[in-house]
Amino acid sequence: MQVNGAPEPFSTSRLDALPLDAAHAEEMAEVLSDPALHTYTGGAPEDADALRARYERQAAGSPDPAELWWNWVLRVRGDGSLAGYVQATVRGERAEVAWVVGTRWQGSGYAKEGAGGLVRHLLDRGSVRTVVAHVHPDHGASAAVAAAAGLRPTGEQVDGEVRWRLDAVREGVPGHHRQGGAPRFPPRANRHPAG
């Protein structure tokens, strides 16, 4: 288990982000069961056993000690149900993030809230200064989530996806040093190596 580099839980106004555990597999298999969730990323829904095995690998952490795999499920505080997940692969001062919210919970703002909460959580910890996400150019909803979390498209493409980026120093995120100008931060509001 990723003891020294384990993710810490965090919360937003309506969501609790809980560190991923294999015990979440049964419920998450239902949350992620819609094949439409794979339209832009490929693949297909996994059953509870396959997710359990994946979650065990992810919770064990990266075999590379310089890289941290942080994964959280998103629990809706109002009814206690799991609605999706957020994740970050952290290497030094850079975190690559992704998010997925189940079809039943889409349209409620949970993806924006979860991704925005993740970005704030990473930056508030102090070690991450750059946050990156990759979004399919035709996935308007995911692009809106990235923008709401404070990321901006870079114009670069990686494996057919647009790279989005937030540089905390350059963007003047509070708590991060920036030369000149007033601090700015976005209003509150996909892919993982262990796949």
Side-chain angles (χ1 to χ4, degrees):
M1 188 129 193
Q2 204 170 326
V3 177
N4 292 333
E8 298 174 3
F10 66 91
S11 295
T12 66
S13 62
R14 300 178 297 162
L15 301 169
D16 291 320
L18 308 172
L20 182 70
D21 187 277
H24 296 125
E26 193 77 35
E27 187 174 357
M28 286 301 291
E30 290 184 36
V31 171
L32 303 174
S33 65
D34 186 352
L37 293 174
H38 300 271
T39 300
Y40 297 104
T41 59
E46 295 179 297
D47 65 22
D49 289 335
L51 275 182
R52 190 172 295 104
R54 176 198 303 255
Y55 291 174
E56 288 171 353
R57 286 190 312 273
Q58 289 175 331
S62 172
D64 181 347
E67 182 173 87
L68 299 171
W69 292 348
W70 288 344
N71 300 274
W72 297 263
V73 292
L74 298 174
R75 182 178 65 199
V76 179
R77 200 170 305 112
D79 65 11
S81 65
L82 297 181
Y85 66 86
V86 293
Q87 58 190 27
T89 301
V90 180
R91 181 177 278 280
E93 294 183 344
R94 175 186 161 119
E96 185 165 337
V97 299
W99 51 85
V100 174
V101 169
T103 304
R104 176 178 147 206
W105 295 269
Q106 291 180 4
S108 60
Y110 290 147
K112 288 180 180 177
E113 187 174 326
L118 171 62
V119 169
R120 280 188 302 281
H121 178 70
L122 292 169
L123 295 176
D124 287 349
R125 290 178 56 92
S127 60
V128 171
R129 294 178 167 271
T130 301
V131 179
V132 173
H134 294 93
V135 177
H136 190 282
D138 296 331
H139 198 336
S142 199
V145 170
L151 284 75
R152 300 290 173 253
T154 64
E156 299 172 60
Q157 286 209 1
V158 178
D159 296 328
E161 295 181 319
V162 176
R163 176 173 284 158
W164 289 65
R165 179 183 176 116
L166 171 64
D167 184 326
V169 175
R170 186 174 32 196
E171 298 297 324
V173 175
H176 296 270
H177 303 289
R178 182 177 97 135
Q179 299 282 335
R184 297 183 314 274
F185 191 66
R188 291 195 176 262
N190 291 316
R191 216 181 309 267
H192 199 288

